[in-house]
Amino acid sequence: MTAAEFVPDHGSLDELRAAVQGCRGCELYKDTTQAVFGEGPGDARILVVGEQPGDVEDRRGRPFVGPAGKVLDRAFAEAGLDRTTMYLTNAVKHFKHRPAAAGKRQLHQSPDRGEIVACRPWLVAEFEVVRPARVVALGATAAKALLGPGFRVTKQHGVPLPWPSSADRPEDFKGVPEAVLVATIHPSAVLRADDREAMFAGMVEDLTGLRGPA
């Protein structure tokens, strides 16, 4: 089962955002507050893909508004990028987490391959609407959702790749114009790192190349 049957054909971003709340393409919807769809201009030059919403995003219904989002905003600023001009989304639209005691923050759990594949039709639909010139994959889950399970961010971060010809199943993106994709670490990795400044500097370096012309 996938989300395909829940995705409107040729839907606008507003139509997709409304429809995603009814998605039952995997089991993750059962224990979340809401689906968290992408956010940003429909004609954005840069499309950023993360892993999944976190606890704060699950409650607020917006991507990258928690602690990792603050790191990402700082990285954008240092790379000379403006978040308000970009489209930000996640590979998986519902928050997968471990059970938590009442009143405690729910702890993130990485989505598995089946959940990533099930949610992919939403991501494809976003690409078809936005049609970006630059694509950013934040972290391993996003990179594997876009490029396949063999991709390693630790080895291939910052390397420009042709998009969508480098995609896992490029035929899924047949209506998407040619672009350039760059993978980098997820901002949450900065928060977990022993040397946060070095990790952050590497992320900024990967993002800086996105400022060039389309």
mmCIF file of all heavy atoms in Angstrom, residues 132-136 159-163 178-182 210:
data_model
loop_
_atom_site.group_PDB
_atom_site.id
_atom_site.type_symbol
_atom_site.label_atom_id
_atom_site.label_comp_id
_atom_site.label_asym_id
_atom_site.label_seq_id
_atom_site.Cartn_x
_atom_site.Cartn_y
_atom_site.Cartn_z
ATOM 1 N N PRO A 132 11.748 22.723 -9.231
ATOM 2 C CA PRO A 132 12.900 23.524 -8.797
ATOM 3 C C PRO A 132 14.102 23.392 -9.724
ATOM 4 O O PRO A 132 14.226 22.418 -10.479
ATOM 5 C CB PRO A 132 13.222 22.926 -7.425
ATOM 6 C CG PRO A 132 12.823 21.482 -7.576
ATOM 7 C CD PRO A 132 11.577 21.510 -8.410
ATOM 8 N N ALA A 133 15.003 24.351 -9.618
ATOM 9 C CA ALA A 133 16.288 24.289 -10.323
ATOM 10 C C ALA A 133 17.371 23.670 -9.452
ATOM 11 O O ALA A 133 18.387 23.188 -9.959
ATOM 12 C CB ALA A 133 16.720 25.689 -10.753
ATOM 13 N N ARG A 134 17.179 23.729 -8.128
ATOM 14 C CA ARG A 134 18.121 23.156 -7.172
ATOM 15 C C ARG A 134 17.335 22.322 -6.157
ATOM 16 O O ARG A 134 16.253 22.727 -5.724
ATOM 17 C CB ARG A 134 18.906 24.249 -6.431
ATOM 18 C CG ARG A 134 19.779 25.116 -7.331
ATOM 19 C CD ARG A 134 21.028 24.380 -7.777
ATOM 20 N NE ARG A 134 21.934 25.238 -8.514
ATOM 21 C CZ ARG A 134 21.928 25.407 -9.837
ATOM 22 N NH1 ARG A 134 21.003 24.794 -10.566
ATOM 23 N NH2 ARG A 134 22.818 26.187 -10.420
ATOM 24 N N VAL A 135 17.927 21.197 -5.754
ATOM 25 C CA VAL A 135 17.302 20.300 -4.780
ATOM 26 C C VAL A 135 18.320 20.013 -3.682
ATOM 27 O O VAL A 135 19.495 19.755 -3.971
ATOM 28 C CB VAL A 135 16.863 18.972 -5.434
ATOM 29 C CG1 VAL A 135 16.198 18.059 -4.403
ATOM 30 C CG2 VAL A 135 15.919 19.237 -6.614
ATOM 31 N N VAL A 136 17.872 20.063 -2.430
ATOM 32 C CA VAL A 136 18.724 19.742 -1.290
ATOM 33 C C VAL A 136 18.124 18.553 -0.554
ATOM 34 O O VAL A 136 16.947 18.579 -0.182
ATOM 35 C CB VAL A 136 18.849 20.923 -0.310
ATOM 36 C CG1 VAL A 136 19.805 20.570 0.822
ATOM 37 C CG2 VAL A 136 19.310 22.176 -1.023
ATOM 38 N N VAL A 159 28.339 16.984 -3.230
ATOM 39 C CA VAL A 159 28.649 16.682 -4.632
ATOM 40 C C VAL A 159 27.420 16.954 -5.493
ATOM 41 O O VAL A 159 26.376 16.332 -5.285
ATOM 42 C CB VAL A 159 29.079 15.212 -4.798
ATOM 43 C CG1 VAL A 159 29.358 14.898 -6.268
ATOM 44 C CG2 VAL A 159 30.300 14.910 -3.934
ATOM 45 N N PRO A 160 27.495 17.874 -6.459
ATOM 46 C CA PRO A 160 26.333 18.152 -7.306
ATOM 47 C C PRO A 160 25.996 16.946 -8.183
ATOM 48 O O PRO A 160 26.871 16.353 -8.820
ATOM 49 C CB PRO A 160 26.790 19.340 -8.163
ATOM 50 C CG PRO A 160 27.982 19.909 -7.459
ATOM 51 C CD PRO A 160 28.630 18.756 -6.763
ATOM 52 N N LEU A 161 24.725 16.586 -8.209
ATOM 53 C CA LEU A 161 24.256 15.453 -9.003
ATOM 54 C C LEU A 161 23.150 15.916 -9.944
ATOM 55 O O LEU A 161 22.338 16.780 -9.589
ATOM 56 C CB LEU A 161 23.711 14.356 -8.089
ATOM 57 C CG LEU A 161 24.706 13.726 -7.110
ATOM 58 C CD1 LEU A 161 23.969 12.812 -6.138
ATOM 59 C CD2 LEU A 161 25.778 12.952 -7.853
ATOM 60 N N PRO A 162 23.072 15.345 -11.131
ATOM 61 C CA PRO A 162 21.987 15.718 -12.049
ATOM 62 C C PRO A 162 20.655 15.162 -11.552
ATOM 63 O O PRO A 162 20.573 14.005 -11.140
ATOM 64 C CB PRO A 162 22.409 15.061 -13.368
ATOM 65 C CG PRO A 162 23.251 13.890 -12.951
ATOM 66 C CD PRO A 162 23.974 14.328 -11.709
ATOM 67 N N TRP A 163 19.658 15.998 -11.574
ATOM 68 C CA TRP A 163 18.320 15.595 -11.114
ATOM 69 C C TRP A 163 17.321 15.846 -12.235
ATOM 70 O O TRP A 163 17.409 16.870 -12.886
ATOM 71 C CB TRP A 163 17.929 16.409 -9.871
ATOM 72 C CG TRP A 163 16.561 16.049 -9.372
ATOM 73 C CD1 TRP A 163 15.386 16.701 -9.624
ATOM 74 C CD2 TRP A 163 16.223 14.920 -8.581
ATOM 75 N NE1 TRP A 163 14.351 16.047 -9.035
ATOM 76 C CE2 TRP A 163 14.828 14.942 -8.389
ATOM 77 C CE3 TRP A 163 16.970 13.867 -8.031
ATOM 78 C CZ2 TRP A 163 14.160 13.981 -7.660
ATOM 79 C CZ3 TRP A 163 16.296 12.911 -7.302
ATOM 80 C CH2 TRP A 163 14.913 12.963 -7.109
ATOM 81 N N GLU A 178 15.109 19.302 -15.648
ATOM 82 C CA GLU A 178 16.455 19.024 -15.144
ATOM 83 C C GLU A 178 16.854 20.045 -14.084
ATOM 84 O O GLU A 178 16.559 21.231 -14.191
ATOM 85 C CB GLU A 178 17.454 19.044 -16.297
ATOM 86 C CG GLU A 178 17.292 17.878 -17.261
ATOM 87 C CD GLU A 178 18.365 17.885 -18.333
ATOM 88 O OE1 GLU A 178 19.254 18.758 -18.290
ATOM 89 O OE2 GLU A 178 18.311 17.012 -19.217
ATOM 90 N N ALA A 179 17.538 19.550 -13.071
ATOM 91 C CA ALA A 179 17.982 20.388 -11.957
ATOM 92 C C ALA A 179 19.286 19.801 -11.420
ATOM 93 O O ALA A 179 19.827 18.847 -11.977
ATOM 94 C CB ALA A 179 16.909 20.434 -10.868
ATOM 95 N N VAL A 180 19.779 20.393 -10.347
ATOM 96 C CA VAL A 180 20.980 19.898 -9.668
ATOM 97 C C VAL A 180 20.612 19.583 -8.225
ATOM 98 O O VAL A 180 19.958 20.385 -7.552
ATOM 99 C CB VAL A 180 22.123 20.938 -9.708
ATOM 100 C CG1 VAL A 180 23.305 20.468 -8.875
ATOM 101 C CG2 VAL A 180 22.548 21.205 -11.144
ATOM 102 N N LEU A 181 21.031 18.407 -7.756
ATOM 103 C CA LEU A 181 20.764 17.987 -6.377
ATOM 104 C C LEU A 181 22.073 17.933 -5.588
ATOM 105 O O LEU A 181 23.090 17.459 -6.099
ATOM 106 C CB LEU A 181 20.089 16.619 -6.356
ATOM 107 C CG LEU A 181 19.744 16.052 -4.972
ATOM 108 C CD1 LEU A 181 18.454 15.247 -5.029
ATOM 109 C CD2 LEU A 181 20.867 15.188 -4.396
ATOM 110 N N VAL A 182 22.006 18.411 -4.356
ATOM 111 C CA VAL A 182 23.123 18.316 -3.421
ATOM 112 C C VAL A 182 22.601 17.737 -2.111
ATOM 113 O O VAL A 182 21.558 18.174 -1.606
ATOM 114 C CB VAL A 182 23.770 19.693 -3.160
ATOM 115 C CG1 VAL A 182 24.809 19.598 -2.049
ATOM 116 C CG2 VAL A 182 24.421 20.224 -4.430
ATOM 117 N N LEU A 210 24.600 26.474 -3.608
ATOM 118 C CA LEU A 210 23.245 26.625 -4.148
ATOM 119 C C LEU A 210 22.931 28.061 -4.583
ATOM 120 O O LEU A 210 21.921 28.306 -5.228
ATOM 121 C CB LEU A 210 22.214 26.203 -3.098
ATOM 122 C CG LEU A 210 22.285 24.745 -2.652
ATOM 123 C CD1 LEU A 210 21.409 24.542 -1.435
ATOM 124 C CD2 LEU A 210 21.863 23.823 -3.776
#
